[in-house]
Coordinates of all heavy atoms in Angstrom, one line a residue:
I104 N -16.2 36.2 -2.7 CA -15.3 36.1 -3.8 C -16.0 36.2 -5.1 O -17.1 35.8 -5.2 CB -14.4 34.8 -3.7 CG1 -15.3 33.6 -3.7 CG2 -13.5 34.8 -2.5 CD1 -14.5 32.3 -3.9
F105 N -15.3 36.8 -6.1 CA -15.8 37.0 -7.4 C -14.9 36.3 -8.3 O -13.7 36.7 -8.5 CB -15.8 38.5 -7.8 CG -16.6 39.4 -6.8 CD1 -16.1 39.7 -5.6 CD2 -17.9 39.8 -7.1 CE1 -16.8 40.5 -4.7 CE2 -18.6 40.6 -6.2 CZ -18.1 40.9 -5.0
V106 N -15.3 35.2 -8.9 CA -14.4 34.3 -9.7 C -14.7 34.5 -11.2 O -15.9 34.3 -11.6 CB -14.6 32.8 -9.3 CG1 -13.8 31.9 -10.1 CG2 -14.3 32.6 -7.8
Y107 N -13.7 34.9 -11.9 CA -13.8 35.0 -13.4 C -14.1 33.7 -14.0 O -13.4 32.7 -13.6 CB -12.5 35.6 -13.9 CG -12.6 36.2 -15.3 CD1 -13.6 37.0 -15.7 CD2 -11.7 35.9 -16.3 CE1 -13.7 37.6 -17.0 CE2 -11.7 36.4 -17.5 CZ -12.8 37.3 -17.9 OH -12.8 37.8 -19.1
K108 N -15.0 33.6 -14.9 CA -15.4 32.3 -15.5 C -14.3 31.7 -16.4 O -14.3 30.5 -16.6 CB -16.7 32.4 -16.2 CG -17.9 32.5 -15.3 CD -19.2 32.5 -16.0 CE -20.4 32.3 -15.2 NZ -21.7 32.4 -15.9
K109 N -13.5 32.5 -17.0 CA -12.4 32.0 -17.9 C -11.1 31.8 -17.1 O -10.9 32.6 -16.2 CB -12.2 32.9 -19.1 CG -13.3 32.8 -20.1 CD -13.4 34.0 -21.1 CE -12.2 34.1 -22.0 NZ -12.4 35.2 -23.0
H110 N -10.3 30.9 -17.5 CA -9.1 30.7 -16.8 C -8.0 31.7 -17.2 O -7.4 31.6 -18.3 CB -8.5 29.3 -16.9 CG -7.3 29.1 -16.1 ND1 -7.3 28.7 -14.8 CD2 -6.0 29.3 -16.4 CE1 -6.1 28.6 -14.3 NE2 -5.3 29.0 -15.2
V111 N -7.9 32.7 -16.4 CA -6.8 33.7 -16.7 C -6.1 34.0 -15.3 O -6.7 33.7 -14.3 CB -7.3 35.0 -17.3 CG1 -8.0 34.8 -18.6 CG2 -8.2 35.8 -16.4
T112 N -5.0 34.6 -15.3 CA -4.3 34.9 -14.1 C -4.0 36.4 -13.9 O -3.8 36.9 -12.8 CB -3.0 34.1 -13.9 OG1 -2.1 34.4 -15.0 CG2 -3.3 32.6 -13.8
L113 N -3.9 37.1 -15.1 CA -3.5 38.5 -15.0 C -4.7 39.4 -15.3 O -5.6 39.1 -16.1 CB -2.5 38.8 -16.1 CG -1.1 38.0 -15.8 CD1 -0.2 38.2 -17.1 CD2 -0.4 38.5 -14.6
T114 N -4.7 40.6 -14.7 CA -5.7 41.6 -14.9 C -5.8 42.0 -16.4 O -6.9 42.2 -16.9 CB -5.4 42.9 -14.1 OG1 -5.2 42.5 -12.7 CG2 -6.4 43.9 -14.2
S115 N -4.7 42.0 -17.1 CA -4.7 42.4 -18.5 C -5.4 41.4 -19.4 O -5.7 41.7 -20.5 CB -3.2 42.6 -19.0 OG -2.5 41.3 -18.8
E116 N -5.7 40.2 -18.8 CA -6.4 39.2 -19.6 C -7.9 39.2 -19.5 O -8.6 38.5 -20.1 CB -5.9 37.8 -19.2 CG -4.4 37.6 -19.5 CD -3.9 36.3 -18.9 OE1 -4.0 36.1 -17.6 OE2 -3.5 35.4 -19.6
I117 N -8.4 40.1 -18.6 CA -9.8 40.2 -18.4 C -10.5 41.0 -19.5 O -10.0 42.1 -19.9 CB -10.1 41.0 -17.0 CG1 -9.5 40.2 -15.8 CG2 -11.6 41.2 -16.8 CD1 -10.1 38.9 -15.5
E118 N -11.6 40.5 -20.0 CA -12.3 41.2 -21.1 C -12.9 42.5 -20.6 O -13.4 42.6 -19.5 CB -13.5 40.4 -21.6 CG -13.1 39.0 -22.2 CD -12.4 39.2 -23.6 OE1 -12.6 40.2 -24.2 OE2 -11.7 38.2 -24.0
P119 N -12.8 43.6 -21.4 CA -13.3 44.9 -20.9 C -14.7 44.9 -20.4 O -15.0 45.5 -19.4 CB -13.2 45.8 -22.2 CG -12.1 45.2 -23.0 CD -12.2 43.7 -22.7
E120 N -15.6 44.2 -21.1 CA -17.0 44.1 -20.6 C -17.1 43.5 -19.2 O -18.0 43.8 -18.5 CB -17.9 43.3 -21.6 CG -17.8 43.6 -23.0 CD -16.8 42.7 -23.7 OE1 -17.2 41.7 -24.2 OE2 -15.6 43.1 -23.8
A121 N -16.2 42.6 -19.0 CA -16.2 41.8 -17.7 C -15.8 42.7 -16.5 O -16.2 42.5 -15.4 CB -15.3 40.6 -17.7
T122 N -15.0 43.8 -16.8 CA -14.6 44.7 -15.7 C -15.8 45.5 -15.3 O -16.0 45.7 -14.1 CB -13.5 45.6 -16.1 OG1 -13.9 46.4 -17.3 CG2 -12.2 44.9 -16.5
K123 N -16.6 45.9 -16.2 CA -17.9 46.7 -15.9 C -18.8 45.7 -15.1 O -19.4 46.1 -14.1 CB -18.5 47.2 -17.2 CG -19.8 48.0 -17.0 CD -20.2 48.5 -18.4 CE -21.4 49.3 -18.3 NZ -22.7 48.5 -18.1
D124 N -18.9 44.5 -15.6 CA -19.8 43.5 -15.0 C -19.4 43.3 -13.6 O -20.2 43.1 -12.7 CB -19.7 42.3 -15.8 CG -20.8 41.3 -15.5 OD1 -21.9 41.7 -15.3 OD2 -20.5 40.0 -15.5
L125 N -18.1 43.2 -13.3 CA -17.6 43.0 -12.0 C -18.0 44.1 -11.0 O -18.5 43.9 -9.9 CB -16.0 42.9 -12.0 CG -15.4 42.8 -10.6 CD1 -15.9 41.5 -9.9 CD2 -13.9 42.7 -10.7
F126 N -17.9 45.4 -11.5 CA -18.2 46.5 -10.6 C -19.7 46.6 -10.4 O -20.2 47.0 -9.3 CB -17.6 47.8 -11.1 CG -16.2 48.0 -10.5 CD1 -15.1 47.3 -11.1 CD2 -16.0 48.7 -9.3 CE1 -13.9 47.4 -10.6 CE2 -14.7 48.8 -8.8 CZ -13.6 48.2 -9.4
E127 N -20.5 46.1 -11.3 CA -21.9 46.1 -11.2 C -22.3 45.0 -10.1 O -23.2 45.2 -9.3 CB -22.6 45.8 -12.5 CG -22.7 47.0 -13.4 CD -23.2 46.8 -14.8 OE1 -23.6 45.7 -15.1 OE2 -23.2 47.8 -15.6
L128 N -21.5 43.9 -10.2 CA -21.8 42.8 -9.2 C -21.4 43.2 -7.8 O -22.1 42.9 -6.8 CB -21.0 41.6 -9.7 CG -21.3 40.2 -9.1 CD1 -22.8 39.9 -9.1 CD2 -20.5 39.1 -9.8
I129 N -20.3 43.9 -7.7 CA -19.9 44.4 -6.4 C -20.9 45.4 -5.8 O -21.3 45.3 -4.7 CB -18.5 45.2 -6.5 CG1 -17.4 44.2 -6.9 CG2 -18.2 45.9 -5.1 CD1 -16.1 45.0 -7.3
S130 N -21.5 46.2 -6.7 CA -22.5 47.2 -6.3 C -23.8 46.4 -5.9 O -24.4 46.8 -4.9 CB -22.8 48.2 -7.4 OG -21.7 48.9 -7.7
W131 N -24.1 45.4 -6.6 CA -25.2 44.5 -6.2 C -25.0 43.9 -4.8 O -25.9 44.0 -4.0 CB -25.4 43.4 -7.3 CG -26.5 42.5 -7.0 CD1 -27.8 42.6 -7.4 CD2 -26.5 41.3 -6.3 NE1 -28.6 41.6 -7.0 CE2 -27.8 40.7 -6.3 CE3 -25.4 40.6 -5.6 CZ2 -28.1 39.5 -5.6 CZ3 -25.8 39.4 -4.9 CH2 -27.1 38.9 -4.9
A132 N -23.8 43.4 -4.6 CA -23.5 42.8 -3.3 C -23.6 43.9 -2.2 O -24.1 43.6 -1.1 CB -22.2 42.1 -3.3
E133 N -23.1 45.1 -2.5 CA -23.1 46.2 -1.5 C -24.5 46.5 -1.0 O -24.7 46.6 0.2 CB -22.4 47.4 -2.2 CG -22.4 48.6 -1.4 CD -22.1 49.9 -2.2 OE1 -21.0 49.9 -2.9 OE2 -22.9 50.8 -2.2
K134 N -25.4 46.5 -2.0 CA -26.8 46.8 -1.6 C -27.4 45.6 -0.9 O -28.1 45.7 0.1 CB -27.6 47.1 -2.9 CG -27.2 48.4 -3.5 CD -28.2 48.8 -4.6 CE -27.7 50.1 -5.3 NZ -26.7 49.9 -6.3
K135 N -27.2 44.4 -1.5 CA -27.8 43.2 -0.9 C -27.4 43.0 0.6 O -28.3 42.6 1.4 CB -27.4 41.9 -1.7 CG -28.0 40.6 -1.1 CD -27.6 39.4 -1.9 CE -28.0 38.1 -1.2 NZ -29.4 37.9 -0.9
Y136 N -26.2 43.2 0.9 CA -25.7 43.0 2.3 C -25.7 44.3 3.1 O -25.2 44.4 4.2 CB -24.3 42.4 2.3 CG -24.2 41.0 1.7 CD1 -24.0 40.8 0.4 CD2 -24.5 39.9 2.5 CE1 -24.0 39.5 -0.2 CE2 -24.5 38.6 2.0 CZ -24.3 38.4 0.7 OH -24.3 37.1 0.2
R137 N -26.3 45.4 2.5 CA -26.4 46.7 3.1 C -25.0 47.1 3.7 O -24.9 47.5 4.9 CB -27.4 46.6 4.3 CG -28.8 46.4 3.7 CD -29.9 46.5 4.9 NE -31.2 46.5 4.4 CZ -31.9 45.3 4.2 NH1 -31.4 44.2 4.5 NH2 -33.2 45.4 3.8
M138 N -24.0 47.0 2.9 CA -22.7 47.4 3.3 C -22.5 48.9 3.4 O -22.9 49.6 2.5 CB -21.6 46.9 2.3 CG -21.5 45.4 2.2 SD -20.4 44.9 0.9 CE -20.7 43.2 0.8
V139 N -22.0 49.4 4.5 CA -21.7 50.8 4.6 C -20.2 51.0 4.5 O -19.7 52.2 4.6 CB -22.3 51.5 5.8 CG1 -23.8 51.5 5.7 CG2 -21.8 50.7 7.1
G140 N -19.4 49.9 4.4 CA -18.0 50.0 4.3 C -17.4 48.6 4.1 O -18.0 47.6 4.5
G141 N -16.3 48.5 3.4 CA -15.6 47.2 3.2 C -14.4 47.4 2.4 O -14.0 48.5 2.1
S142 N -13.7 46.3 2.1 CA -12.5 46.4 1.3 C -12.5 45.4 0.2 O -13.0 44.3 0.4 CB -11.2 46.1 2.2 OG -11.1 47.1 3.2
F143 N -12.0 45.8 -0.9 CA -12.1 45.0 -2.2 C -10.7 44.9 -2.7 O -10.0 45.9 -2.8 CB -13.0 45.7 -3.1 CG -13.1 45.1 -4.5 CD1 -13.7 43.9 -4.7 CD2 -12.5 45.8 -5.6 CE1 -13.7 43.4 -6.0 CE2 -12.6 45.3 -6.8 CZ -13.2 44.0 -7.0
F144 N -10.3 43.7 -3.0 CA -8.9 43.5 -3.5 C -8.8 42.3 -4.5 O -9.6 41.4 -4.4 CB -7.9 43.4 -2.4 CG -8.2 42.3 -1.4 CD1 -7.6 41.1 -1.6 CD2 -9.0 42.5 -0.4 CE1 -7.9 40.0 -0.7 CE2 -9.4 41.5 0.5 CZ -8.8 40.3 0.3
V145 N -7.7 42.4 -5.3 CA -7.4 41.3 -6.2 C -6.0 41.0 -6.1 O -5.1 41.9 -6.1 CB -7.7 41.7 -7.7 CG1 -7.4 40.6 -8.6 CG2 -9.2 42.2 -7.8
R146 N -5.6 39.7 -6.0 CA -4.3 39.3 -6.2 C -4.2 38.7 -7.6 O -5.1 38.0 -8.0 CB -3.9 38.1 -5.2 CG -4.0 38.5 -3.8 CD -3.5 37.3 -3.0 NE -3.6 37.5 -1.6 CZ -4.6 37.2 -0.8 NH1 -5.7 36.6 -1.3 NH2 -4.6 37.5 0.5
F147 N -3.2 39.1 -8.4 CA -3.1 38.6 -9.7 C -1.7 38.1 -10.0 O -0.8 38.6 -9.5 CB -3.6 39.6 -10.8 CG -2.7 40.9 -10.8 CD1 -1.7 40.9 -11.7 CD2 -3.0 41.9 -10.0 CE1 -0.8 42.0 -11.8 CE2 -2.2 43.0 -10.0 CZ -1.1 43.1 -10.9
G148 N -1.6 37.1 -10.9 CA -0.3 36.6 -11.3 C 0.3 35.6 -10.3 O -0.5 34.9 -9.6
K149 N 1.5 35.6 -10.2 CA 2.3 34.6 -9.5 C 2.0 34.6 -8.0 O 2.2 35.6 -7.4 CB 3.8 34.7 -9.8 CG 4.2 34.4 -11.2 CD 5.7 34.5 -11.4 CE 6.1 34.1 -12.8 NZ 5.8 32.7 -13.1
S150 N 1.6 33.5 -7.5 CA 1.2 33.4 -6.1 C 2.4 33.6 -5.1 O 2.3 34.0 -4.0 CB 0.5 32.1 -5.8 OG 1.4 31.0 -6.0
E151 N 3.6 33.3 -5.6 CA 4.8 33.5 -4.8 C 5.0 35.0 -4.5 O 5.7 35.4 -3.6 CB 6.1 32.8 -5.3 CG 6.5 33.2 -6.7 CD 5.9 32.2 -7.7 OE1 4.7 31.8 -7.6 OE2 6.6 31.9 -8.7

Side-chain angles (χ1 to χ4, degrees):
I104 58 170
F105 304 78
V106 176
Y107 195 50
K108 285 184 167 178
K109 286 162 66 173
H110 185 87
V111 302
T112 58
L113 297 171
T114 303
S115 57
E116 296 172 298
I117 302 289
E118 297 288 339
E120 311 94 89
T122 59
K123 182 174 180 283
D124 194 38
L125 175 60
F126 273 82
E127 286 173 1
L128 194 52
I129 295 164
S130 300
W131 179 88
E133 179 194 301
K134 290 189 184 84
K135 177 176 170 61
Y136 294 93
R137 296 187 171 87
M138 295 175 191
V139 292
S142 297
F143 172 70
F144 56 93
V145 178
R146 297 184 183 94
F147 65 92
K149 292 184 176 300
S150 61
E151 55 268 42

